[in-house]
Amino acid sequence: MSRKQHATLTGQDDTTAKAYVKSGQPYVWVTAAAVAASIIITVGLLVLIAARGMVHFWPQQIVQATYAEPGTEPQVLLAEIRSRESVTSARLAEAGLPVDPAQDLYDRVLLKIGNRDLNGVDFRYVVEDWLSVGEYPPEVVVLEREEWGNFQGFIERVTLDGQVITGIGAWAAFRDANHRASELREQIEKIEKGDIGRVNYALDRARLEERKLELDGRTPETDPDAFARFERVRAEMNAEYQTLAARRLALYADLRRDSVVMRSIDGREVTFDMGQIIRGYQPNQMNVLVKTGNWFVNVWRFMTEDPREANTEGGIFPSIFGTIMMVLLMSIFVTPFGILAALYLREYAKQGAVTRAIRVAVNNLAGVPSIVYGMFGLGFFVYTVGGGIDQLFYPEAAPAPVFGTPGLLWASLTLAILTLPVVIVATEEGLARIPRHLREASLSLGATKAETLWRVVLPMASPAMMTGLILAIARAAGEVAPLMLVGVVKLAPNLPFDLNFPFLHLDRKFMHLGFHIYDVGFQSPNVEAARPLVYATSFLLVVVIMVLNLTAVAIRNRLREKYKALDN
């Protein structure tokens, strides 16, 4: 059907440009294009972050190359090729390199040469024109160490319980020793973080309880039974600590029993005891299937292990745990406050100038810079409320603060205040959408106003409340600035949750994915090593937010289905 025929049948003239614009279709297309562009940009950003971050866990080939800078002796390198880029000859000349000024651009290669303890650096830029890539030695070994990053070289010999093994059997002996060391390391970690942590916690609680009795004016002479109990606890805990310390020392000695001698590409030999090595692998002997399995193992370890070496090595489990814990607590705090505030404004408050002013104030709060909330949290929650709690309930801990210092509780409350306007506005919108005749029908059947709100209005508005909570979660999980003032630290010695009563320690400082990204990206001394971790952590932060939001969306959808009949 032609446009003219269509215009005849419908009585609308859409054959001219003016009529086409008046029909509104251009605005529909512009809106659709904007949505499509937003989706493409978002997906593209996620793909870029994932590609830059997740490739870090793929075992790369190690190449043996010769680097011959004009006027210097050639150097043999054993390195992993990380990236390439083009730089101007002027820039290289400023760095002191003898480049040809007639050549405008040079390709520069970033190599990971490892062995920071031998070379001083573990990354190096070289000019590709002067680099001769040679073979990929199958026997090259990469050692992931507790300190100094990776070591790249060749196994010379392995000492296994006093027996020296060289040649072909050295790699198998190393793997056996490394497997044994991993088991011993797990036992040591269990003793240090579990058993010794429990003993220290019990000793600290006994010290505080004894101090509390002293502040109450009681002495060993006036209350000998109570003080004798503390002495018994101390004696038992000290005896248990001595046993655990002896066991730990024995395990450390056992861990250092075996050793491996490695040879770097320049011929230097280095001896490592197995306690220094986390794991080793031969990347040049791995096929795609083995590398894929290794990639999944590395990602899992990144998500479940503690960080090492100023957060530039190891995993981010404490940050993931802290982020999720803080968001859950924030949701628990902000939801009832936001709903009650919205309920009062919509259902009980007299609609007038004061109520309108309150609504304007609530909307304006959403635009306040987040660092202002951090300052408010530090001044009000930490110093005022926390300091008051310490004076009233924890005088025995003085001068050390308990709640009068930044911690998980104050961080969660600060973010709850920050996201409160979002929940209030979303809940008010949901309450406004409830048809008036439903309220009148409920009241006409004899229900009170409170019963009508509880049984009819609030259930029907619950999807809107969940929408507000979803927006609050998305904002809170990505905030960093206020958290730097009220609870987040670079490295927390303990998680906020453990098996010591009261299990959830709201006064403890915690780690956060957003702050981890800031710290690794801008505070790390090893920029090249930190860069892929920034991408990987950013991607995981997005994944965590998506999982939390999808959970909230699933709950909201269930509520919508549940109260669909009432809505109709």
Side-chain angles (χ1 to χ4, degrees), residues 427-483:
T427 305
E428 264 211 282
E429 291 295 325
L431 292 172
R433 288 181 61 249
I434 307 300
R436 184 179 181 83
H437 63 81
L438 287 177
R439 291 182 174 84
E440 294 171 348
S442 176
L443 294 172
S444 66
L445 290 173
T448 63
K449 185 170 184 177
E451 288 173 336
T452 300
L453 289 175
W454 181 252
R455 295 183 179 277
V456 178
V457 177
L458 282 180
M460 292 186 66
S462 55
M465 298 172 196
M466 291 304 300
T467 300
L469 186 59
I470 291 168
L471 296 173
I473 289 173
R475 168 118 194 238
E479 282 292 347
V480 174
L483 298 179

Side-chain angles (χ1 to χ4, degrees), residues 53-72:
M54 294 296 110
V55 75
H56 170 68
F57 306 106
W58 183 263
Q60 301 286 346
Q61 297 282 93
I62 304 295
V63 64
Q64 183 172 329
T66 303
Y67 184 63
E69 187 178 311
T72 62

Side-chain angles (χ1 to χ4, degrees), residues 189-209:
E189 185 177 350
K190 183 181 176 185
I191 290 175
E192 290 180 340
K193 291 191 174 180
D195 298 333
I196 291 182
R198 174 178 52 78
V199 168
N200 289 334
Y201 189 77
L203 285 171
D204 194 52
R205 286 183 66 87
R207 178 185 66 81
L208 293 176
E209 288 179 13

Side-chain angles (χ1 to χ4, degrees), residues 180-382:
R180 176 176 174 276
S182 298
E183 293 180 344
L184 291 172
R185 197 177 288 110
E186 288 178 5
Q187 294 178 40
I188 292 171
E189 185 177 350
K190 183 181 176 185
I191 290 175
E192 290 180 340
K193 291 191 174 180
D195 298 333
I196 291 182
R198 174 178 52 78
V199 168
N200 289 334
Y201 189 77
L203 285 171
D204 194 52
R205 286 183 66 87
R207 178 185 66 81
L208 293 176
E209 288 179 13
E210 186 179 35
R211 174 65 180 156
K212 190 173 183 179
L213 289 184
E214 291 174 352
L215 291 176
D216 291 342
R218 295 155 73 177
T219 64
E221 289 74 23
T222 59
D223 195 348
D225 293 340
F227 283 88
R229 181 169 60 85
F230 295 135
E231 288 299 327
R232 283 198 302 274
V233 170
R234 267 195 290 270
E236 290 173 4
M237 291 297 110
N238 284 330
E240 187 175 353
Y241 177 80
Q242 295 300 328
T243 304
L244 292 170
R247 173 67 177 153
R248 183 180 59 169
L249 282 176
L251 287 172
Y252 269 118
D254 217 12
L255 183 64
R256 300 189 187 101
R257 188 197 69 178
D258 304 327
S259 62
V260 56
V261 177
M262 298 291 297
R263 175 174 56 82
S264 64
I265 191 65
D266 55 4
R268 287 180 284 181
E269 290 190 355
V270 186
T271 303
F272 301 110
D273 65 60
M274 296 309 295
Q276 297 174 270
I277 300 170
I278 296 173
R279 70 176 192 129
Y281 58 96
Q282 294 180 307
N284 292 351
Q285 292 193 23
M286 292 180 174
N287 56 33
V288 175
L289 192 61
V290 175
K291 284 188 176 182
T292 303
N294 213 279
W295 182 85
F296 280 108
V297 171
N298 289 339
V299 172
W300 177 251
R301 292 176 60 228
F302 182 67
M303 294 172 59
T304 56
E305 289 186 352
D306 292 340
R308 305 190 309 274
E309 297 203 59
N311 292 341
T312 58
E313 300 283 347
I316 56 170
F317 175 72
S319 300
I320 296 176
F321 187 89
T323 303
I324 294 175
M325 184 65 73
M326 184 207 66
V327 170
L328 291 178
L329 287 174
M330 182 276 301
S331 303
I332 292 172
F333 292 140
V334 74
T335 303
F337 278 109
I339 292 173
L340 287 175
L343 204 58
Y344 177 78
L345 287 174
R346 175 59 57 179
E347 302 292 338
Y348 289 101
K350 183 179 179 181
Q351 304 301 314
V354 176
T355 307
R356 284 197 297 273
I358 292 174
R359 285 200 178 93
V360 171
V362 168
N363 291 331
N364 287 336
L365 279 177
V368 174
S370 58
I371 190 66
V372 176
Y373 286 96
M375 294 298 296
F376 170 79
L378 181 66
F380 179 71
F381 288 130
V382 178

